[in-house]
Amino acid sequence: FCWPKPSRAPIRRTRFLRQVFHKGGPRMCIKENYVLKSGFDSNAFLSDMKAAKEAVGESGPEDARHLEFLVGLARGFACMGYVLVVLGASQSFSPLPGIACVAGAILISTARCMRWVIIGHHVTHGGYDQIHKKHPGVLSKHYKRGIFGTGWRRFIDWLDWMLPGAWDVEH
């Protein structure tokens, strides 16, 4: 989206937000700012997108089980990583503890990326909201847009410096 034109007047937060956002959504850039190839067929692109959506289908209980599996895998990676780092740091200096610390750091990093990119991204975009409506009770209630990572669950689901609501706005 486009940033407001700079001015010499002092910037107030409300004026800035009114310039950036209007009517509840981001102000889109004007058409001349976008560069598309001359042969781009928007109707064909739209039909391809609709065909892809139909091919994927509606989300269901299988998707809920897959999300729960990924959450468990991310938690397992994080726990194993913390254990390896603590064990590696508590041992004497030799190559094996160093390898354990590196492996632990890789596992922790993988778990954090999974929480942000796979779990948090799709949940905060509302990818699992339809499961709650069509198949109640299949998926935990906190895996829903606006609820995920809030309150005390933030320490379990989204232990990061950025709030999930801020992630929705920024992203």
Side-chain angles (χ1 to χ4, degrees), residues 2-171:
C2 294
W3 291 101
K5 294 180 182 178
S7 72
R8 295 182 180 254
I11 295 179
R12 292 190 180 125
R13 185 170 183 240
T14 54
R15 182 176 62 100
F16 175 77
L17 291 175
R18 262 190 251 117
Q19 287 177 344
V20 174
F21 299 100
H22 72 92
K23 295 182 183 174
R27 182 173 60 190
M28 299 307 292
C29 295
I30 55 176
K31 189 176 181 181
E32 291 79 24
N33 291 344
Y34 291 106
V35 179
L36 295 174
K37 294 182 180 180
S38 60
F40 179 75
D41 185 4
S42 60
N43 292 328
F45 177 74
L46 183 62
S47 66
D48 288 344
M49 294 301 291
K50 288 180 179 179
K53 186 175 181 179
E54 289 174 8
V56 170
E58 294 288 326
S59 53
E62 300 86 25
D63 298 309
R65 282 193 297 274
H66 183 66
L67 177 66
E68 295 284 355
F69 168 76
L70 291 174
V71 168
L73 189 64
R75 286 183 185 153
F77 282 172
C79 289
M80 288 188 319
Y82 291 128
V83 167
L84 283 175
V85 167
V86 168
L87 288 177
S90 65
Q91 301 298 319
S92 62
F93 293 101
S94 69
L96 191 59
I99 293 170
C101 286
V102 169
I106 290 171
L107 286 170
I108 293 168
S109 173
T110 303
R112 288 183 57 82
C113 286
M114 286 178 71
R115 286 186 187 138
W116 264 83
V117 177
I118 300 172
I119 301 162
H121 184 104
H122 293 93
V123 172
T124 58
H125 275 296
Y128 295 97
D129 288 356
Q130 290 298 319
I131 294 176
H132 293 288
K133 293 177 184 175
K134 294 182 179 179
H135 307 281
V138 172
L139 188 62
S140 299
K141 292 181 181 180
H142 60 272
Y143 292 117
K144 191 172 182 181
R145 184 179 190 166
I147 299 173
F148 179 75
T150 57
W152 67 271
R153 291 285 315 180
R154 173 133 188 251
F155 297 103
I156 298 170
D157 297 330
W158 192 280
L159 185 58
D160 207 280
W161 61 272
M162 187 178 222
L163 295 169
W167 170 254
D168 283 343
V169 172
E170 285 292 321
H171 179 68

